[in-house]
Amino acid sequence: MNLMGEQHLAVVVLAAGAGTRMKSNKPKVMHEIAGLPLLGHALATASSLGASFVVPVIRHQREVIAPYIEAFYPNAVIADQDEIPGTGRAVECALDAIPADFKGAVVVTSGDVPLLDVPTLEGLIDAHLSQGVAATVLTAILDDPSGYGRVVRTSDGSFLKIVEDRDASKKQLEIREVNAGVYVFDAEHLRTALGRVGSHNAQGEKYLTDVAAELLAEGFEVQGIPVTDNWLVAGINDRVQLAEVTAELNRRICEAWQLAGVTILDPSSTWIDVTAELGQDVTLLPGTYLRGMTKIGPGATVGPEVVLVDTEVGAGATVIKAHATGSRIGAGASVGPFSFLRPGTDLGADGKIGTFVETKNAKIGAGSKVPHLSYVGDAEIGEGSNIGAGTIFANYDGVNKHRSKIGSHVRTGSDNVFVAPIEIGDGAYTAAGTIVRRDVAPGELAMNVAPQRNLADWVIQKRPGSAAANAAEAAKASGKNSSEN
Ligand code: UD1
Ligand code: CA
């Protein structure tokens, strides 16, 4: 980052708190919004600042949080907070985790403020460095400031101190300018000031917020800069705020895709993870969820009522009322309504997975169709084949799973069972109702259905007086529907 010049930068992300207001077995910062844990959003932003050190501070449920950081941010320096509580102590522990001679700017953010963006932080760092102050605090002016620390200013408007909600006087509680929990400090001054901060407050914690007053007392300058968009600093402490911030982030994600050329009929019922990618002229209909690494190709139509998880949809494809995970849907293909695509489904271009069809680990070639009421598991189907209605790929013998292979341009009859392992050659047919237990060579017709016997007058004799028998007798009398058998 150019504006840093020769300055060094460390970014501390606070995530050691217990998050008790979430009432959860899961650490607060691991709750997800738009496909990433809260901490993932915070670390993505922190990692985009070109800092020498990104330092997440953790303690509560370390065993859950540390593996996430190690997997996705292996360059981050994890700092462990000790038993002394408070945001001030957390930052002290962060400073202990980086070289003692570190000089430069220290940005402090929180793992529970997911909408904070890179331009806001860059602007804050810029304001901090250009003013040559010891600390810069990002503030927000809220209609309802309850819960937040209040920014107390002198009568001439200069920064005086931050008072926590629980420690504030009645008069201070009326202040609408709050501490957003995002700061830039000079590293050396921060170290010294933290050493002097005590824990004489309602929570008995060592507050980072007290550093501001400490620095001012030492004759340094501290500035508070209000953010222009309050959503960027919305903190999540409970599940009501989790839902509110999730909806707002989703609204922003939908808006960005709309401006990039995606039609979204109803953004409020369309949920798109930050990790999803959409092409031009995609249409999303209500009740659509695009999760994880889902990618939608140009011109595809998805919805209504579709859930796609880590699924790729090709250009011009159509997906209606379907649930797909770990699947690929080819260009021009059609899926749904009422289709369930489990991991490993790979539908070729212009193929079809139709109504009440479940697939798993199934490669279905270009132009091949499974239109109705079927289960296709552990199978490979060539190109241009048609699987009859009501077909089951019997892949499980009770102990092991086996594969089925169907060639190209095959026509299978309705109500077939393919007992795997099995192979059907190119251009073969199978008759309706066939239980296919032996391989079928190219071009053969397979059938193993018992010859049909029609027992004359069975209903009239065995069910005398019934509606069926009466109808049969009437039909016979009028000479209707006579059979040759
Ligand atoms: C904090 C601020 C408050 C500000 C608000 C903005 C303090 C004392 N108060 O309050 O002025 O208005 O954020 O959202 O800083 N954490 C640790 N270690 C701890 C305690 C907390 O790492 O010992 C972490 C938490 O995991 C969380 C962050 O620090 O990510 C903030 O803690 P939280 O308890 O949510 O503070 P607030 O009450 O929101
Ligand atoms: Ca908070």
Side-chain angles (χ1 to χ4, degrees), residues 46 52 188 254 326 411 481:
S52 316
E188 289 171 290
C254 285
R411 296 284 177 269
N481 298 341

Side-chain angles (χ1 to χ4, degrees), residues 14-18 21 28-29 57 81 84-87 90 110-113 147-149 162 164 166 178-181 183 203 205 207-209 233 235 237:
L14 302 182
R21 289 166 278 184
K28 170 168 81 174
V29 295
V57 185
Q81 186 172 351
I84 301 172
T87 47
S110 282
D112 64 350
V113 182
Y148 287 91
I162 299 166
E164 286 307 292
R166 289 180 228 216
V178 304
N179 168 27
Y183 322 76
Q203 296 196 94
E205 293 187 356
Y207 286 165
L208 178 61
T209 45
V233 296
N237 296 314

Side-chain angles (χ1 to χ4, degrees), residues 29-48:
V29 295
M30 293 307 288
H31 281 260
E32 288 194 4
I33 81 170
L36 291 182
L38 297 177
L39 183 61
H41 290 278
L43 286 175
T45 303
S47 302
S48 302

Side-chain angles (χ1 to χ4, degrees), residues 220-292:
F220 297 110
E221 279 185 67
V222 176
Q223 61 179 350
I225 300 180
V227 72
T228 42
D229 175 357
N230 288 340
W231 278 111
L232 298 183
V233 296
I236 291 173
N237 296 314
D238 59 36
R239 297 194 205 219
V240 175
Q241 292 166 329
L242 183 72
E244 285 166 356
V245 174
T246 301
E248 178 58 21
L249 176 54
N250 189 65
R251 199 191 63 72
R252 288 171 187 236
I253 293 169
C254 285
E255 189 175 279
W257 285 118
Q258 287 173 315
L259 294 174
V262 172
T263 294
I264 303 178
L265 186 59
D266 178 22
S268 68
S269 73
T270 304
W271 297 87
I272 307 176
D273 281 355
V274 282
T275 39
E277 284 176 38
L278 288 81
Q280 201 174 34
D281 289 317
V282 163
T283 298
L284 301 180
L285 297 173
T288 290
Y289 293 71
L290 306 180
R291 294 289 184 222

